Amino acid sequence: MIQYIADQAHFKEVIERIPNVKESLWIGTADIKDLYVGERPFLGVLADLLKKGREVRLVHAKEPGPNFRQDFDRYPILFDGLERVLCPRVHFKIIIFDHSLAYIGSANLTGAGIGMKSPQTRNFEAGILTDDHTLIEQAMNQFDSVWAGIQCKNCGRKKFCSDPIAK
């Protein structure tokens, strides 16, 4: 199954799958803000996954704003449970569900990107949701190369990196 996703379908087809993760959730995004899944804060959904023993990894390019930080602080399990790295060069948008389903697209984890902002204030986004093993493997390899710091060796932008993955 490869399903093309555009505009409003991002929320239903991608974000609503997150609470149902059984083993692991890998998220790569350039930007992340105080997003909601239905009426629940996105960070609350991640906290619930961690409480259930799920692995949650987040790679993002910059520190989120004060609203996100305020939400983050409401869920103490995120401090130690959420595996997180910053890389200012990350611009990919990848979500890997249980190593068996992947979203690959243009939408950041923001209300205007993949969230529930009104149609008048949403970005025009596109992506695919796939269970194709080859695409999932390639997305996981890209994510992993950043996660493990493999890209750091030849980055050329280390002076802009506030918290280098590979020292």
Side-chain angles (χ1 to χ4, degrees):
M1 168 225 21
I2 296 178
Q3 178 182 2
Y4 173 75
I5 303 172
D7 295 336
Q8 299 294 334
H10 275 83
F11 179 78
K12 184 158 185 55
E13 299 301 325
V14 179
I15 290 296
E16 286 186 352
R17 292 176 183 271
I18 289 174
N20 301 316
V21 165
K22 302 292 182 222
E23 296 173 18
S24 66
L25 178 68
W26 292 7
I27 302 168
T29 185
D31 195 10
I32 185 167
K33 293 185 179 173
D34 54 329
L35 181 68
Y36 279 76
V37 179
E39 301 205 7
R40 300 240 16 236
F42 177 69
L43 291 170
V45 173
L46 295 185
D48 288 347
L49 290 175
L50 293 170
K51 288 175 190 171
K52 294 176 185 174
R54 311 308 192 255
E55 172 193 70
V56 181
R57 289 183 172 181
L58 172 63
V59 174
H60 56 108
K62 63 182 182 175
E63 283 293 346
N67 290 341
F68 182 92
R69 187 69 213 183
Q70 188 175 2
D71 268 354
F72 190 93
D73 291 346
R74 290 178 43 213
Y75 303 99
I77 195 168
L78 297 175
F79 300 140
D80 295 321
L82 178 64
E83 299 178 58
R84 183 177 76 96
V85 297
L86 276 135
C87 174
R89 302 248 342 250
V90 165
H91 201 261
F92 55 71
K93 285 74 172 185
I94 297 171
I95 303 175
I96 309 287
F97 304 86
D98 295 321
H99 306 291
S100 61
L101 186 69
Y103 165 77
I104 305 164
S106 65
N108 281 308
L109 284 177
T110 64
I114 205 164
M116 286 296 291
K117 277 201 168 181
S118 79
Q120 292 78 25
T121 57
R122 289 185 47 84
N123 297 337
F124 302 124
E125 305 287 0
I128 60 167
L129 185 64
T130 183
D131 62 1
D132 180 275
H133 178 72
T134 302
L135 287 173
I136 294 168
E137 184 176 5
Q138 290 172 353
M140 288 176 65
N141 287 342
Q142 182 179 22
F143 185 102
D144 239 0
S145 73
V146 172
W147 184 262
I150 295 167
Q151 300 293 336
C152 296
K153 182 164 60 168
N154 299 314
C155 173
R157 308 242 336 135
K158 288 183 183 178
K159 65 182 178 182
F160 300 103
C161 192
S162 62
D163 188 17
I165 298 165
K167 309 293 183 213

